[in-house]
Amino acid sequence: MTKTLEISNISKSFLSNYRRKNVLNKVSFSVNYGEIVAILGPNGCGKTTLLNIIAGILKPDDGSVIFNNEEIIHPSWQRTMIFQELNLFPWKTSLENIVFGLRAKGLPKKEAIFLAKSQLKLLGIENFSNYYPNQLSVGTKQKVAIARALALEPDILLLDEPFSSLDMQSRELFQEDLINIAKQRKQTMLIVTHSIDEALFMSDRIIILNGSPAKVNAVINLAASPNRTPRYRNTQQFSKLKNEIWEILRSKD
Amino acid sequence: MVMINKKTIILKVLSVLFVVIIWQILSSSQIINAHFIPPPLEIAKSFILTIQSTEIFKDIYVSISRVFVGFLMGAVIGLIFGVITSYSAVLRYLLSIWIEFIRPIPPLAWIPLAILWFGLGNKSAIFLVALGSFFPVYSNTFEGVIALPKKFVDTAKTLGADSKLIFLEVVIPAILPYIITGLKIGLGVSWMIVVTAELVGTTSGLGYFIQLNRILLQVDKVIVGMIVIGLIGLVMNYFISLLEKYFSHWKIINTDL
Ligand SMILES: Nc1ncnc2c1ncn2[C@@H]1O[C@H](COP(=O)(O)OP(=O)(O)OP(=O)(O)O)[C@@H](O)[C@H]1O
Ligand SMILES: [Mg+2]
């Protein structure tokens, strides 16, 4: 397997109220092509900070991020991100938000519109094409943000707690939708989450981030990528893994 | 933004009718002295005569063109200064000390200097209008750029946008509502300033029209002039509101839901 993303010894601290707060401490891991990796960590442990560094909108104090054999310096659509707060442009409709991404990537306008429309259809939200974000439900906004990022076909898709604002049922349905699309396209993904269930269901590998400052506490390989049908959530294998992860989280607290 | 519906129109018409009728009754029963303020019917007659004689249209034209030129100058300079000072901290401090110092001086306090520099007439009035419209446009533009959430720029970058696309499709739409608010306030201020400037510094325009008729003791015409000024102000505000609706419809939609 070849690596697409390699993170080595990333450290990051923030200055707040004249105090230096260490958030990340020598975090290292890598992601292979086609792999879906989950980063699991409690609230406020630095998950968003880590993703921002990988996306290139934040500089680490120390360490390096190598992406496709090059040190990253700028943000790029090849490492595009679905933000925790989605960050849809409120002055653009669903369609325009997606078109913007495609044009930013460099596509001509006509092609961008065509692709954006098919992306809206893929996610079943074509009826909301001409709605502004303010007019959409949380779930639909979520889907527009996913569509905007997926449409770019990035080398790696970064997702920051993509489903955290959804209710239980919608969340599971969304997870299933996304995983199906991702598997079909062999889309490499790095998903940040604080939900063990989400990490287990979505990923091939779980990286547990914990402590203050946060570091990688454990890596769990979910050997032979599981069969992600809704039923998988109710299997013994699933609950056994869930317990194991709980044990790790408890013992490292 | 409140939608125009039947109910609000009816209320507005009722309000106007109510005041006018009471006023007419008070005048007819001579509780209000006609020298002090003429009755509405007389004003209406005078209004029609003034319009028919078309003498006032020249003054309307003069006042509006002064506002147009002065407002355009003030707004463009305000816009440029707003953008510059929000992007460069050095320029912000170099310029802001002057801007903040001059801002509290009422434009009308500049009339003596304006007349000294530009003489009586167009140039003085235009200068004062430009001065008055500069500040609201400047501070609103500045505030808009400062308030621009970094997250939207970051998002655009992670989608691959270059600085041109970011400026055109992220920065501009985000600050446009602020700029339009500035323009709206600026235009209102301009209209007030032009009339005031014309009262003292010119020999044409609606302000001069009022002043002249005061001297001629034609109170009805003074009031006709005031009504015309009010109506034109309303129309200007209406056009800016249309602009506002067009460029910040995404915001308006939000509050209507
Ligand atoms: N720009 C910043 N300036 C100062 N402190 C910051 C900044 N960004 C993040 N922090 C701090 O760093 C820590 C980690 O924040 P981060 O948002 O990365 O956590 P998170 O794991 O994503 O949290 P959540 O689960 O709430 O999304 C927090 O304590 C936060 O207060
Ligand atoms: Mg976060």
Side-chain angles (χ1 to χ4, degrees), chain A residues 47-48 84 160-161:
Chain A
K47 303 182 297 296
T48 298
Q84 196 163 5
D160 194 356
E161 310 204 24

Side-chain angles (χ1 to χ4, degrees), chain A residues 191-208:
Chain A
I191 302 174
V192 152
T193 179
H194 60 242
S195 149
I196 301 177
D197 282 64
E198 189 161 282
L200 269 176
F201 187 75
M202 301 283 286
S203 71
D204 304 322
R205 190 147 54 92
I206 301 178
I207 292 163
I208 296 178

Side-chain angles (χ1 to χ4, degrees), chain A residues 98-111:
Chain A
I98 303 170
V99 168
F100 176 87
L102 288 162
R103 287 183 46 226
K105 178 182 170 182
L107 264 64
K109 198 166 183 173
K110 255 194 176 163
E111 213 177 320

